[in-house]
Amino acid sequence: MNDQSKAFTMEMDKSGSVASDTVMNPHKVTSRKVSVFYGLKQALFDIDLDIPDRAVMALIGPSGCGKSTFLRCLNRMNDTIPDCRVTGEIKVDGRDVHDPDLDVVELRGRVGMVFQKPNPFPKSIFENIAYGPRIHGLARSKSDLEEIVISSLEKAGLLSEVKDRIHEPGTGLSGGQQQRLCIARAIAVNPELILMDEPCSALDPIATAKVEELIDELKKNYCIVIVTHSMQQAARVSQRTAFFHLGILVEEGSTADIFTNPTDKRTQDYITGRFG
Amino acid sequence: MLSYLILVLLLLILAGFALGHRKALAVGATSDVRMHSLAGYHGWYVAALVGIPSFVLVLLWLLFQGPVVDWLLIGSLPKEGVDGLDKGQLDLLISQIKSVAAGNIFGDPDAVVLEAADRYNRWNTIADWALFVLAVAVALAGIALAQQRISARFRARNTVELVMSGLMIACSLIAILTTFGIVASLLYESLRFFDKVSVAEFLTGLNWEPQIPIREGQVTAGGAFGAIPVFAGTLLIALIAMVVATPIGLFAAVYLTEYASSKFRSVIKPLLEILAGIPTVVYGFFAVLTVAPAIRNIGQAMGFEIAPNSAFAAGAVMGIMLIPFISSLSDDAIASVPQSMRDGSYALGATKGETITKVLLPSALPGIMGGVLLAASRAIGETMIVVMAAGIIASLTFNPFEPVTTVTVQIMTLLTGDTEFDNPKTLAAFALGLVLFLSTLVLNIIALRIVQKYREQYE
Ligand SMILES: Nc1ncnc2c1ncn2[C@@H]1O[C@H](COP(=O)(O)OP(=O)(O)OP(=O)(O)O)[C@@H](O)[C@H]1O
Ligand SMILES: [Mg+2]
C-alpha cells in the first residue's frame, strides 16, 4: 500500500501533462512478484505491475517476451495449459485471483478476453454472443437476451454490417468482422476488465480503426489491457504502457513518457525499432 | 511350371532394371545434353516394359487355357460317345477325364476316358511350355526394345509416372469391379427368388419359416418367406447394441479428451481399441457363457423366466464390441476441435461441462455421428455373436428377453447344410443379402456425407 501510494505521487510529479483521469483512477489490477513457469522454463520474472481502471494499458515488447503469458495470468487462462505454474500475487479489485475461495468461472465472467486470432464458435452470430449471457444467467427472458445481443453488436460496431444475417454462422464473417464479433461476445457478459491479445494483428487498417474506436469507447466504462506489436497503436489507444523484455518488466509509465523519454536503453531501442 | 515362369519373369524384370539403369548412366556420361530423366527412371522404364506385357500375357493365357483345352477335349471325343449326352452328363464325363488325368483313378474307366485323359495331360503340358517360351520371349523383346529407346532426350520419368498411375487405376478398378460383381450376383439371385416368392410377401410377411422340403419325403413345414420378423430382430438387436455403445463410447471419448491426463490417455486409448480387435466368436462365447446366464439368474431372482438365448445378451455384448468404434471416432472428432474454441469458451467463464456440452460436442457432432453410423452398420452386419447368443429362430417380438434372429444369421443358416441353388430357401439368402447391402449402403452414404460436411467446418 505504501509502495503504491508512492508510485502515485511520483507519477503526479513526473507527468503533470498526462490527462489527470488516467492517473487518478484506482488500480483495477495489482500484481506483485508474478513469475510464470512452463515446465522448467521460466517465462516471466517477478512482475510488479499495476493497471488503472477506466483506462487502456498497452503491453509491448518483442515476440516471446511474455506479454500473452502475463495477460493470461489475469483471468487464469494459464490454468488450461498443462505444466504451467504461476507464482506471486495478482489482485483484481483487491481480491487475489489464486485465492482458493475464488471461483475461477466467476473471475472469468468479470475478466473478458479477446484472442489474437478470432475464434468465433461454429454457431450463428446470435448464438455466439448469447453464449456468455446464457451460461451466466444474465438474461431473464428471450427479449432480454435479444437486447443484450443487439447492444453488444452495437457497441462492437458490427450491428449495421450483420443485422440481417444475425442467425447465420459467425464463421462466415470476414476476419475483421469475426474479431469484432469476438469483442461483442466478450462484452456481452459485462466484464469489468477486458484483455485483448493483439486484437488487430489479423485486421486491415479500416477494421483496425474500427476496433480502436471501440476501445476508446469501451475505456469509459471498462479497464482494458491490450497487447500490441504496433507502436502507433499503443500510442494511439493507451494511456499507460508497459514494456516487457525476455520475461522482465523493463519499464512502465504513462504512454506519453514511454514514447517520448523512456528511461531504459532497451525501451528506447525497442520503440525506435532498433531491435525486436 | 507356373512358379518357375514367374520366377524367371521377376529375374528378367530385375535384369531389365539393372540394364536400363546402367545404360542410362553410360549414355549420360557420354552425351553432351543433360539427361532428361534420372537413370533410375530409365531402369524402371525398362522394367515396366519387361514386366507388364509378359504378366498380362500370362494372365490372359491362364484365363483362356482351361476353357480352350476343354473345348478341344470335347471336340476330340468320339462322336458316338458324346452324341445324345445332355449338358450335365457331358460335364460329368469331362470331370471324370480330368480326375483320371490328375491320377485319381476310381474303378475301371473305359479306354476312351483313359485316352482322353492322356490327351488332356499332353495338351496342357504343351500349353504350359508354349506359355513359358512366349512369355520369356515377350519379356526379352521388352528389354531389347526399351534398351534401344534410352537416350538423353527420352522422357523416361514421364512414361514411368504414366505407367504408375495406370497401375493405380487398375488396382482401384479391381476393387470397384468386385463390388459391382457382388451387387450383380446379389441382384441376379434375388430376382430369381422374387420369381418364386413375391416381393410384397417377402417385405411385409410376418412369418419366416424357410425350411421347405428339399428332398422328397423330408418332413418340414411348408415354408414361409415373410422377412419382417428377421428385420425386426435385426433392428432390435442393433438398437440394444447402440443403446449400450453410444453413451459409453461417447462418455469415454469425452473423458479421454477433456479430463484424462495425457499419460493416462496414451495408455487407455490403445487398450480401448483392442476391444475392436477381439474376434467376434470370442464375444459370442462371452455372451453365451457369461452374460446370458447372468441375465437369466438376475431374471430368476426377480421372478421372471428369461430364455437362455435372448436379444438382450447378444445386443449388450455387441454394444461392448462397438464401444471402440464410437469412442475412437468421437475422440478424434472432439480432439480435432481447435483449442481456440475451448479457450474462447473458458475465457467467457464457462465451466468444463458447459464447454463440453455447448461447444465441443456440437462442433464435433458430425464426426460423432459418423462414428455412430459406422457402429450401426457394424451392428446390423454382425453375425457370430447373434448366432451364439440370440438364436436362429425368427419370432416377431420386441421383448429383448426373448430369442430373435437377424438377417445375417438367417443368411448363414440358409446357406449352410443341404443347399440347392434353385431352391427358394437358398435364394432367400440372396434377397436378405440384398436388403442388408442396401441398408448398410444407405447408412454408409449418410455417414460419409456427414463426415464430409464435418471436414469443411474449420477451413
Ligand atoms: N504453452 C506454452 N508452453 C511452453 N512454453 C510457452 C507456452 N506459451 C508460451 N511459452 C513460452 O513463454 C515465453 C513467452 O511467451 P508468450 O506467448 O507470452 O510471448 P508473447 O510476448 O506473447 O509473444 P508474441 O508477441 O510472439 O505473442 C516464450 O518463450 C514462449 O516460448
Ligand atoms: Mg502473444
Side-chain angles (χ1 to χ4, degrees):
Chain A
M1 196 56 219
N2 213 358
D3 250 18
Q4 203 169 312
S5 50
K6 221 191 283 168
F8 258 94
T9 42
M10 263 170 61
E11 231 134 74
M12 298 285 255
D13 294 346
K14 218 169 39 180
S15 50
S17 61
V18 176
S20 60
D21 61 71
T22 65
V23 183
M24 295 308 291
N25 287 331
H27 289 157
K28 183 81 181 169
V29 180
T30 58
S31 75
R32 290 290 171 270
K33 289 195 149 324
V34 173
S35 296
V36 179
F37 302 82
Y38 291 108
L40 293 176
K41 184 174 170 280
Q42 187 165 3
L44 282 182
F45 299 84
D46 295 337
I47 306 294
D48 291 348
L49 181 63
D50 296 336
I51 299 170
D53 201 1
R54 288 166 213 270
V56 179
M57 157 80 80
L59 308 184
I60 60 171
S63 191
C65 66
K67 306 177 297 289
S68 303
T69 302
F70 181 74
L71 210 60
R72 282 199 307 265
C73 290
L74 303 184
N75 62 347
R76 280 184 53 189
M77 281 299 283
N78 282 327
D79 290 12
T80 63
I81 300 173
D83 325 317
C84 179
R85 197 160 55 82
V86 181
T87 64
E89 185 193 74
I90 300 163
K91 283 186 174 167
V92 175
D93 283 333
R95 192 115 190 255
D96 188 353
V97 298
H98 289 110
D99 183 350
D101 288 339
L102 179 130
D103 182 7
V104 65
V105 164
E106 190 261 346
L107 171 74
R108 288 181 189 148
R110 283 190 293 127
V111 183
M113 187 165 202
V114 177
F115 295 83
Q116 177 169 353
K117 236 180 93 192
N119 58 348
F121 302 130
K123 300 173 184 279
S124 71
I125 293 171
F126 183 92
E127 287 299 321
N128 259 286
I129 299 174
Y131 182 80
R134 277 215 183 101
I135 58 181
H136 291 291
L138 297 184
R140 240 167 285 116
S141 64
K142 208 165 171 258
S143 60
D144 258 11
L145 190 65
E146 272 163 19
E147 211 179 293
I148 293 177
V149 170
I150 297 296
S151 76
S152 306
L153 279 173
E154 173 83 71
K155 282 188 215 156
L158 194 59
L159 186 61
S160 57
E161 283 160 70
V162 302
K163 64 174 173 297
D164 0 288
R165 46 178 185 156
I166 206 158
H167 292 291
E168 281 169 36
T171 41
L173 296 174
S174 77
Q177 290 171 329
Q178 287 188 13
Q179 192 59 296
R180 277 177 289 148
L181 175 63
C182 292
I183 294 175
R185 185 174 74 180
I187 58 186
V189 292
N190 250 323
E192 299 150 22
L193 169 60
I194 302 177
L195 312 173
M196 297 186 172
D197 195 347
E198 299 180 43
C200 301
S201 63
L203 305 191
D204 71 25
I206 297 170
T208 303
K210 282 189 178 157
V211 172
E212 286 179 7
E213 232 170 79
L214 170 65
I215 293 173
D216 257 351
E217 188 61 33
L218 290 172
K219 77 157 191 279
K220 291 178 188 155
N221 301 310
Y222 303 93
C223 168
I224 295 170
V225 184
I226 178 172
V227 171
T228 178
H229 278 289
S230 152
M231 297 304 115
Q232 291 87 339
Q233 182 170 55
R236 278 194 304 264
V237 301
S238 73
Q239 285 73 53
R240 298 194 70 82
T241 299
F243 172 65
F244 284 70
H245 184 51
L246 297 176
I248 295 165
L249 173 61
V250 174
E251 187 168 359
E252 189 269 342
S254 79
T255 300
D257 277 355
I258 294 278
F259 281 98
T260 51
N261 58 31
T263 53
D264 196 287
K265 176 89 171 49
R266 288 169 289 182
T267 319
Q268 191 171 7
D269 285 350
Y270 183 69
I271 58 179
T272 53
R274 233 162 290 160
F275 77 94
Chain B
M1 191 74 190
L2 191 62
S3 39
Y4 286 122
L5 175 58
I6 288 176
L7 201 68
V8 169
L9 286 181
L10 286 179
L11 286 177
L12 281 175
I13 289 173
L14 272 183
F17 178 83
L19 283 174
H21 190 257
R22 250 200 21 221
K23 172 139 190 225
L25 284 181
V27 170
T30 55
S31 107
D32 24 275
V33 268
R34 222 169 73 87
M35 292 291 280
H36 170 270
S37 308
L38 292 175
Y41 282 112
H42 287 278
W44 282 115
Y45 172 71
V46 179
L49 219 58
V50 176
I52 294 174
S54 52
F55 270 103
V56 168
L57 174 75
V58 171
L59 220 66
L60 288 178
W61 189 287
L62 291 180
L63 219 58
F64 289 111
Q65 179 174 344
V68 169
V69 172
D70 281 1
W71 178 73
L72 286 176
L73 190 66
I74 293 169
S76 75
L77 290 174
K79 271 268 170 316
E80 60 279 9
V82 182
D83 281 349
L85 290 183
D86 67 21
K87 192 172 172 312
Q89 286 165 313
L90 193 63
D91 281 349
L92 203 65
L93 184 64
I94 297 288
S95 55
Q96 192 191 3
I97 293 171
K98 281 183 189 170
S99 78
V100 170
N104 305 321
I105 305 175
F106 298 109
D108 203 7
D110 50 85
V112 180
V113 172
L114 281 177
E115 205 181 300
D118 200 32
R119 233 179 358 250
Y120 179 76
N121 275 340
R122 217 165 49 236
W123 282 341
N124 268 330
T125 318
I126 293 171
D128 287 348
W129 275 106
L131 172 61
F132 193 98
V133 172
L134 211 62
V136 171
V138 166
L140 288 175
I143 292 187
L145 187 74
Q147 280 269 55
Q148 251 181 13
R149 296 181 65 176
I150 291 176
S151 70
R153 282 186 208 289
F154 179 60
R155 305 186 162 216
R157 170 166 49 83
N158 307 30
T159 318
V160 168
E161 272 160 11
L162 208 72
V163 168
M164 281 314 290
S165 65
L167 279 181
M168 287 178 227
I169 291 173
C171 289
S172 48
L173 271 184
I174 288 175
I176 295 170
L177 287 181
T178 317
T179 313
F180 272 115
I182 293 171
V183 174
S185 76
L186 268 181
L187 260 180
Y188 175 73
E189 303 290 348
S190 304
L191 287 179
R192 281 176 60 195
F193 172 73
F194 290 128
D195 262 357
K196 300 190 161 102
V197 177
S198 78
V199 179
E201 187 196 335
F202 179 71
L203 289 181
T204 59
L206 298 181
N207 210 355
W208 180 260
E209 272 160 25
Q211 308 309 8
I212 53 178
I214 50 178
R215 262 178 278 115
E216 247 161 283
Q218 196 179 16
V219 185
T220 58
F225 292 95
I228 289 285
V230 182
F231 297 146
T234 308
L235 285 182
L236 179 64
I237 291 192
L239 195 73
I240 295 171
M242 295 311 290
V243 165
V244 171
T246 310
I248 298 182
L250 199 57
F251 281 120
V254 168
Y255 177 75
L256 285 180
T257 48
E258 299 302 310
Y259 291 91
S261 70
S262 61
K263 217 183 259 164
F264 184 73
R265 178 182 146 97
S266 66
V267 175
I268 290 299
K269 207 177 170 210
L271 274 183
L272 247 180
E273 274 154 21
I274 286 179
L275 274 184
I278 298 175
T280 53
V281 181
V282 176
Y283 279 110
F285 278 140
F286 178 59
V288 174
L289 299 180
T290 313
V291 178
I295 293 173
R296 216 169 156 199
N297 290 342
I298 294 172
Q300 258 162 3
M302 297 195 311
F304 298 115
E305 203 47 52
I306 293 176
N309 284 330
S310 70
F312 186 75
V317 172
M318 199 191 286
I320 292 169
M321 177 187 84
L322 296 177
I323 289 171
F325 285 86
I326 295 181
S327 75
S328 186
L329 282 172
S330 308
D331 184 311
D332 291 347
I334 296 172
S336 70
V337 176
Q339 179 62 29
S340 64
M341 294 296 123
R342 294 179 183 82
D343 288 347
S345 175
Y346 289 132
L348 284 168
T351 62
K352 201 156 208 173
E354 284 161 348
T355 303
I356 290 167
T357 52
K358 298 205 170 124
V359 175
L360 296 183
L361 290 184
S363 306
L365 191 65
I368 295 171
M369 282 298 286
V372 169
L373 288 177
L374 183 71
S377 62
R378 268 304 295 260
I380 290 175
E382 175 50 41
T383 317
M384 213 56 202
I385 297 176
V386 186
V387 179
M388 296 173 78
I392 56 169
I393 298 172
S395 53
L396 186 56
T397 173
F398 285 100
N399 179 352
F401 298 108
E402 273 179 41
V404 294
T405 191
T406 66
V407 173
T408 49
V409 170
Q410 283 312 307
I411 293 176
M412 195 197 79
T413 52
L414 291 174
L415 289 182
T416 44
D418 270 342
T419 51
E420 195 176 76
F421 266 75
D422 51 2
N423 188 299
K425 177 192 167 204
T426 335
L427 291 175
F430 292 96
L432 286 178
L434 188 68
V435 172
L436 191 67
F437 175 81
L438 289 179
S439 45
T440 45
L441 184 73
V442 168
L443 270 183
N444 276 322
I445 288 175
I446 296 174
L448 265 181
R449 271 287 163 90
I450 290 176
V451 170
Q452 257 168 16
K453 203 181 134 211
Y454 168 63
R455 283 216 189 98
E456 293 163 0
Q457 204 129 74
Y458 299 108
E459 274 156 21

